[in-house]
Amino acid sequence: RHAGTCTMLPLLLLLLATAHGLDRVAYEPTLASSDLGGRITASTFLLEQPRCVFLNPNYTGAVIWLVVAESDGSNFNNSLKPGSPGTAYQSFPGGNPFYMTLGTNLQQYPCTPNPGNITVLRVGTETSCAKDPMRPTCNGPLPSPGPYRVKFLAINGSGPLADTVWSEDITLR
């Protein structure tokens, strides 16, 4: 009897998350192929784009955000809004252990990219907005070697729809 209860726990947790309106997508963000130069630098890293990840028709019109966190991102609250004080790059890592950046329409991540399309995201490239509080979703340089973890979050006008699991730790050079 006890073993059956334990095997049902993950299903119950999934149903609870779905009941609250947030789907967990079984996708783990990964670093881009090691063939690419500059995959990890002192202040940036390259991720594969989340293609064929948010397939549910209910996600149409969603904006996909990248959440960058210090290694333990477990305290990230999915209901926080991009650009809010609680998710601003300028407060990372001193005030916030995470920030949200690179908001992109879901349509920009088709399952099959057109030949010649860029299929990676470089995290940490925008130096011009790093100290600009008017740009809280800045994709600014990462301030230390880390480690960091990332996940993707799909949001529409009514709030968060789905998120991915956290990546493995990413440590910069």
Side-chain angles (χ1 to χ4, degrees):
R1 183 181 274 191
H2 184 266
T5 303
C6 289
T7 59
M8 294 297 290
L9 186 58
L11 179 59
L12 292 172
L13 291 174
L14 179 63
L15 291 172
L16 180 62
T18 303
H20 289 292
L22 185 68
D23 295 337
R24 173 64 43 93
V25 178
Y27 172 80
E28 181 179 309
T30 58
L31 286 170
S33 167
S34 58
D35 313 5
L36 294 173
R39 181 174 89 137
I40 298 176
T41 71
S43 61
T44 69
F45 58 86
L46 277 175
L47 287 177
E48 292 293 333
Q49 291 179 344
R51 295 181 178 273
C52 279
V53 172
F54 297 98
L55 297 175
N56 186 321
N58 294 332
Y59 306 155
T60 302
V63 175
I64 309 304
W65 289 90
L66 178 69
V67 179
V68 180
E70 292 178 303
S71 183
D72 181 16
S74 61
N75 63 349
F76 178 73
N77 178 343
N78 285 322
S79 66
L80 291 172
K81 295 188 185 312
S84 68
T87 63
Y89 167 80
Q90 291 77 12
S91 299
F92 178 78
N96 298 331
F98 44 77
Y99 67 99
M100 294 172 74
T101 190
L102 298 174
T104 305
N105 290 329
L106 178 59
Q107 294 78 14
Q108 297 301 312
Y109 298 131
C111 288
T112 306
N114 291 325
N117 278 12
I118 295 172
T119 60
V120 294
L121 301 172
R122 181 167 297 278
V123 179
T125 59
E126 292 183 87
T127 57
S128 63
C129 58
K131 295 185 183 205
D132 183 354
M134 300 305 289
R135 299 266 320 272
T137 60
C138 179
N139 181 23
L142 296 163
S144 73
Y148 301 99
R149 286 190 176 201
V150 298
K151 73 174 181 172
F152 292 99
L153 178 63
I155 301 175
N156 70 7
S158 62
L161 301 171
D163 70 346
T164 66
V165 299
W166 288 101
S167 69
E168 293 293 320
D169 282 351
I170 300 168
T171 302
L172 304 181
R173 296 194 188 282

